[in-house]
Amino acid sequence: MRKKIAFTSILIGILFFLNSSQYLSWFYILGQCNDGNYVDFIGQFLGKIFQALGILLFCGYAYFVKKKPSKIIEFSILIAVNFLLTVVTIIPQFRDGIVVTGLLMNIAIGLLYAWYVAIIVDIIDKNNYGLTFGAGIALSCVFSYILYFFDKDYSFITSIQCLYLYALISIGVTVLYVLTLYSYINTTRLVEQSSTYKVASPFSKNYILIIFSALLFASIVNGLGFFQPSSDISSFHISVEAMRLFYTLSLVIAGILNDKSRGLGFILCLVALSFAFALPIMHDNTTGVYVTWVLAYVFIGFISVCRTVIFLDIAKENDKYYLAPIGLFIGRAGEPIGMQFRFGLANNNALLLVVISILFAVTIVLFAIPFTQFYGVNTRSDEEIDYHGVFIDRYQLSSREVQILDELLSGNANKEIAANLYITESTVKFHVKNLMKKTNCKNRNELIKLYNTENRLNK
């Protein structure tokens, strides 16, 4: 498992390094001939929005073709198109159309971002999603810093010479992707196909909508509070790549903690967002500028991992591969929206804090529903949890089936269970039927009797 996590993290790290470097080449070329506000709007707002569009295109493709788009030819074509758009964007002869070519390149980057994240569902066990994603993105930040160390004036990544590096990496990641397909994905699918039971999903449509809304509001708050203008880069000699080293640390920590407990990941995400109140006030002097940049990159790691991992869970549990990159889409769409609000409120910190407060309150309310219903703390005693866990492991119950079992043990009817778990009664009946099948019980009374009998025997 460790080898699989390491291999996949390296693949993701190189892929994200390639695409983030291509984006930065475009961004810095824009900054050479335009003022800061224009660069912020085109580069940080439209660029991210077009990446979000690319992610949606991937989701639509995966939804309509009804298969996991892991074909080597498809991936190779996308890598090639992305490289050609990068060439057209960077070559001086085409600089007059750099906005259009750059935005098209960002669509391709969004498609590839989605592809990279989605392969985690195919390769990695869900208990290691956070570490795999966090370590992969952290590795890409380290690669970016190494490049920056040798190119501190950005002369290389804004020149034609960088295309040789991008071509080499593009070929390399294609080969690495092929190796990944044959080494891990095919093996994983054979194991899945050998199983006669399909795990029931604990995520209803209502639940997914609530999660989507909660994470979208969180991303908007993040954009409002943590946005740093591109003028800081020139005025205060800020190194984005150096600052992203702080992001690297938070990504790994957030990945480990999210794998330990998704509920803990939710809490850390909200704690990180709470600093959005302080950062706009601190950004008023040289020291404050540096502090806000550091804190922004420290805290955004917890938010990034949380929203990505949650939708990887949803994609896996629902067997809906096209949902895997939605967490990434939320970040790419929500944060630019928050940034635009920040632009409009740049000179009015009081109103900015009011807006952040309202959106943060809405985020907390939305987060509370999935947290208490699915990621909440179990109130059983340690001894009860041990016996409960034995029963769950013995009959290989899914997360939602465990919830249904707890509701049945409390004597709740289907209608009450549906209301408590925010699902439909038909969904409750579906899970109850699976419970009966797994435990070989004819009705819920027999199930409760079996549970109590086995607990007594275990004691």
Side-chain angles (χ1 to χ4, degrees):
M1 180 57 71
R2 290 181 179 178
K3 182 180 177 181
K4 187 186 294 187
I5 294 171
F7 191 89
T8 308
S9 295
I10 291 171
L11 172 64
I12 292 172
I14 297 174
L15 291 168
F16 267 87
F17 166 64
L18 169 65
N19 291 145
S20 62
S21 297
Q22 290 169 328
Y23 167 79
L24 287 175
S25 291
W26 174 64
F27 184 80
Y28 288 130
I29 291 173
L30 275 177
Q32 290 175 352
C33 50
N34 296 284
D35 63 75
N37 290 336
Y38 180 82
V39 173
D40 286 334
F41 177 75
I42 299 297
Q44 297 206 57
F45 177 69
L46 286 184
K48 298 296 176 63
I49 292 296
F50 273 70
Q51 287 180 20
L53 177 60
I55 295 170
L56 278 186
L57 288 175
F58 171 92
C59 295
Y61 171 82
Y63 175 78
F64 286 110
V65 299
K66 304 296 183 184
K67 65 178 181 178
K68 300 176 180 180
S70 55
K71 298 294 184 181
I72 296 171
I73 295 178
E74 296 166 343
F75 181 80
S76 301
I77 290 173
L78 186 53
I79 284 286
V81 169
N82 177 63
F83 176 72
L84 289 175
L85 287 170
T86 305
V87 171
V88 175
T89 299
I90 292 176
I91 290 180
Q93 288 87 335
F94 297 98
R95 292 283 172 88
D96 289 342
I98 190 172
V99 173
V100 174
T101 57
L103 292 177
L104 290 174
M105 181 188 72
N106 276 284
I107 292 177
I109 287 175
L111 280 162
L112 287 168
Y113 277 163
W115 206 302
Y116 308 156
V117 171
I119 63 173
I120 295 176
V121 177
D122 249 353
I123 301 174
I124 301 298
D125 179 80
K126 65 179 294 184
N127 293 325
N128 294 298
Y129 285 168
L131 178 59
T132 304
F133 174 76
I137 306 303
L139 194 59
S140 74
C141 294
V142 173
F143 291 151
S144 294
Y145 182 75
I146 294 173
L147 178 60
Y148 163 75
F149 184 81
F150 294 101
D151 185 35
K152 292 184 178 180
D153 60 355
Y154 308 114
S155 59
F156 176 74
I157 66 170
T158 55
S159 68
I160 298 178
Q161 282 70 32
C162 73
L163 294 174
Y164 295 105
L165 175 64
Y166 294 158
L168 183 63
I169 297 176
S170 296
I171 295 170
V173 295
T174 303
V175 173
L176 201 57
Y177 182 74
V178 172
L179 293 175
T180 302
L181 278 180
Y182 283 106
S183 299
Y184 295 116
I185 294 181
N186 291 336
T187 303
T188 303
R189 287 178 182 171
L190 286 173
V191 172
E192 290 175 348
Q193 291 169 2
S194 66
S195 175
T196 57
Y197 176 74
K198 184 177 179 180
V199 176
S201 169
F203 299 98
S204 66
K205 290 182 180 179
N206 289 338
Y207 178 89
I208 295 173
L209 181 59
I210 292 170
I211 283 288
F212 180 90
S213 302
L215 294 174
L216 180 61
F217 274 97
S219 297
I220 292 173
V221 171
N222 182 50
L224 273 167
F226 297 144
F227 166 64
Q228 310 302 334
S230 60
S231 57
D232 287 355
I233 298 174
S234 56
S235 300
F236 297 95
H237 304 290
I238 296 290
S239 164
V240 176
E241 290 76 12
M243 290 297 170
R244 290 181 72 187
L245 290 178
F246 295 99
Y247 184 43
T248 299
L249 180 63
S250 69
L251 281 166
V252 176
I253 295 173
I256 294 171
L257 294 178
N258 269 270
D259 287 340
K260 185 175 182 179
S261 168
R262 296 293 194 261
L264 180 59
F266 266 49
I267 293 173
L268 291 172
C269 181
L270 288 176
V271 171
L273 283 177
S274 67
F275 284 86
F277 293 97
L279 296 185
I281 299 174
M282 296 169 61
H283 194 274
D284 59 355
N285 56 62
T286 302
T287 302
V289 168
Y290 282 103
V291 171
T292 54
W293 272 81
V294 170
L295 291 179
Y297 276 104
V298 167
F299 294 127
I300 197 175
F302 293 97
I303 301 168
S304 298
V305 172
C306 177
R307 65 191 175 207
T308 302
V309 166
I310 292 302
F311 271 92
L312 290 176
D313 284 345
I314 292 172
K316 182 69 172 182
E317 293 288 348
N318 289 56
D319 195 27
K320 294 181 178 178
Y321 190 77
Y322 60 87
L323 292 176
I326 292 297
L328 201 62
F329 164 79
I330 291 171
R332 286 295 184 273
E335 287 171 5
I337 292 172
M339 290 176 185
Q340 284 305 106
F341 277 119
R342 177 69 180 272
F343 272 130
L345 301 173
N347 299 318
N348 194 336
N349 276 342
L351 183 57
L352 175 61
L353 291 175
V354 170
V355 173
I356 291 176
S357 299
I358 294 172
L359 295 177
F360 187 65
V362 174
T363 302
I364 291 176
V365 172
L366 291 171
F367 264 54
I369 297 173
F371 180 79
T372 56
Q373 296 298 326
F374 191 70
Y375 299 113
V377 178
N378 198 323
T379 57
R380 297 173 181 271
S381 67
D382 290 341
E383 186 177 4
E384 288 175 320
I385 290 173
D386 288 340
Y387 298 136
H388 196 59
V390 170
F391 188 88
I392 292 168
D393 291 340
R394 178 172 297 161
Y395 294 103
Q396 298 183 343
L397 304 185
S398 69
S399 301
R400 180 61 91 187
E401 287 166 353
V402 173
Q403 289 183 306
I404 298 292
L405 174 63
D406 288 340
E407 294 287 338
L408 293 176
L409 293 174
S410 299
N412 292 333
N414 288 350
K415 187 174 182 179
E416 294 172 306
I417 296 174
N420 290 340
L421 300 182
Y422 294 89
I423 57 179
T424 63
E425 285 191 60
S426 60
T427 303
V428 173
K429 292 177 182 178
F430 171 78
H431 291 300
V432 170
K433 182 179 179 180
N434 283 334
L435 271 172
M436 299 305 167
K437 182 179 179 180
K438 284 187 174 183
T439 57
N440 199 27
C441 293
K442 296 179 180 179
N443 53 55
R444 61 185 64 198
N445 288 331
E446 190 173 323
L447 173 63
I448 294 171
K449 183 178 179 180
L450 173 66
Y451 179 87
N452 291 331
T453 300
E454 294 203 3
N455 273 357
R456 284 196 298 270
L457 290 174
N458 287 332
K459 291 179 182 178

